[in-house]
Amino acid sequence: MSEAQDLPPGVDPTVPSAGRLYDYYLGGTEYLEVDRLAGDKIFATVPELGDIVWSNRGFLQRASKQLAAEVGIRQFIDIGAGLPTRNNTHEAVQSVAPDASTVYVDNDPMILAHARSLLEGVDNTEFITGDLRDPDSVLGNPELRSLINFDEPVALMMAAVVHFVSDEADPWGLMKQYMNALTPGSYLCLSHITSDNVPPEGVAAFLSVYNNASENLYFRRRQDVERLFDGLELLPPYDGAEPGVTFTGFWGAEDPEAADSDGSRWGLCGVARKP
Ligand SMILES: C[S@@+](CC[C@H](N)C(=O)[O-])C[C@H]1O[C@@H](n2cnc3c(N)ncnc32)[C@H](O)[C@@H]1O
């Protein structure tokens, strides 16, 4: 856990933040006491919380690696990146394509400060501050543009971040805006928390924490997550499956039955190609 007196500018130690809470759920070290107390309230009602977040991480890693290894994508923009400590996008893709570029984007000042030092000396990788709800500013960022060539396909990673965007901010329109900026053959990889068929008291526990956090959380039903992929061609999530959106544990799983778990069923995800 970080000490409140050593905080980077812009960090409010009295309000839990989406980025630091996630680090706490994953068993990291970049959270504050306020995050631990808030996170423990959810753990008390949702004991599978660790499984939820690791299942989501598994999706992100399998999807990015598959796009690098099997499709040949060499450029990754990872929005709502979180803290790139372990098994992050640049490591997954550089393990199969050492020349692949990754630009991480996040709006949490604590994440930015730690990420920049963690990534020092790592080739073809940048971390920039930016807000998903402002695509022009994210995609126009000069550091991003120094690594990403918009004439070549890009994989846009949006893992566990669009559920921080309200209906009023129009996440469906935002996805269209991002994908319109990318060349055909680009991909959207997205995961999103769902309230479908999960215990309502668990949903209430999440909401009571995020109603008082840096970002509100918006649970969505499957049909509203599917709409985020409108105009794109969804891939089959695993061998033998129909193309579509699935639970995070299933995507890219060698043995989907074994990958199924209570935690995985809190997250819907998909990978889709821009035709
Ligand atoms: C739940 S974490 C997900 C991290 C990583 N993508 C993953 O799936 O493992 C969500 C991250 O999105 C960031 N975030 C939330 N709202 C954002 C926004 N509007 N723009 C950019 N980043 C945002 C938070 O700071 C946090 O680091």
Side-chain angles (χ1 to χ4, degrees):
M1 188 165 70
S2 290
E3 296 298 329
Q5 63 270 24
D6 302 326
L7 297 180
V11 174
D12 182 349
T14 66
V15 176
S17 92
R20 288 183 272 124
L21 282 167
Y22 190 67
D23 186 64
Y24 179 60
Y25 310 151
L26 287 168
T29 55
E30 302 310 327
Y31 59 87
L32 303 175
E33 181 67 2
V34 71
D35 307 304
R36 186 184 68 73
L37 293 171
D40 283 348
K41 283 191 193 153
I42 307 180
F43 270 114
T45 313
V46 186
E48 67 271 32
L49 179 53
D51 182 26
I52 297 175
V53 291
W54 280 109
S55 183
N56 176 65
R57 295 290 298 165
F59 157 68
L60 178 64
Q61 288 153 15
R62 291 190 297 278
S64 50
K65 197 167 175 175
Q66 183 168 318
L67 289 178
E70 293 173 26
V71 182
I73 301 288
R74 291 292 176 268
Q75 311 189 97
F76 293 79
I77 303 177
D78 187 338
I79 301 187
L83 195 68
T85 42
R86 280 165 291 168
N87 306 330
N88 223 290
T89 303
H90 74 282
E91 288 159 319
V93 302
Q94 289 185 356
S95 70
V96 292
D99 58 328
S101 303
T102 305
V103 177
Y104 293 111
V105 184
D106 206 284
N107 68 349
D108 186 316
M110 181 106 158
I111 304 271
L112 181 76
H114 288 274
R116 281 237 159 109
S117 62
L118 276 169
L119 293 174
E120 225 170 65
V122 179
D123 286 342
N124 299 330
T125 306
E126 280 290 349
F127 202 107
I128 63 169
T129 187
D131 195 302
L132 161 60
R133 292 161 291 195
D134 187 355
D136 289 341
S137 142
V138 169
L139 297 175
N141 180 290
E143 284 174 282
L144 180 144
R145 292 209 157 244
S146 72
L147 269 190
I148 304 293
N149 173 358
F150 281 81
D151 296 329
E152 298 289 331
V154 170
L156 182 66
M157 318 302 292
M158 294 265 192
V161 62
V162 179
H163 49 225
F164 296 114
V165 179
S166 65
D167 282 7
E168 292 68 37
D170 188 13
W172 303 277
L174 286 166
M175 292 309 110
K176 279 212 164 60
Q177 240 182 296
Y178 278 103
M179 294 312 290
N180 283 346
L182 304 180
T183 195
S186 293
Y187 283 80
L188 174 64
C189 298
L190 183 147
S191 61
H192 197 297
I193 200 161
T194 184
S195 50
D196 289 349
N197 307 315
V198 294
E201 60 276 16
V203 174
F206 270 105
L207 292 178
S208 75
V209 163
Y210 285 89
N211 284 344
N212 298 299
S214 63
E215 309 288 342
N216 288 349
L217 179 65
Y218 303 93
F219 282 84
R220 291 196 170 93
R221 318 299 306 248
R222 176 181 283 264
Q223 62 268 29
D224 293 324
V225 175
E226 285 172 345
R227 275 208 290 136
L228 294 164
F229 295 96
D230 270 2
L232 306 175
E233 297 165 344
L234 277 157
L235 302 187
Y238 51 88
D239 282 348
E242 292 296 319
V245 163
T246 189
F247 296 120
T248 49
F250 286 161
W251 205 97
E254 279 172 25
D255 181 350
E257 238 171 80
D260 192 12
S261 67
D262 288 349
S264 158
R265 287 177 174 253
W266 284 80
L268 289 168
C269 68
V271 176
R273 180 179 183 277
K274 176 175 173 172

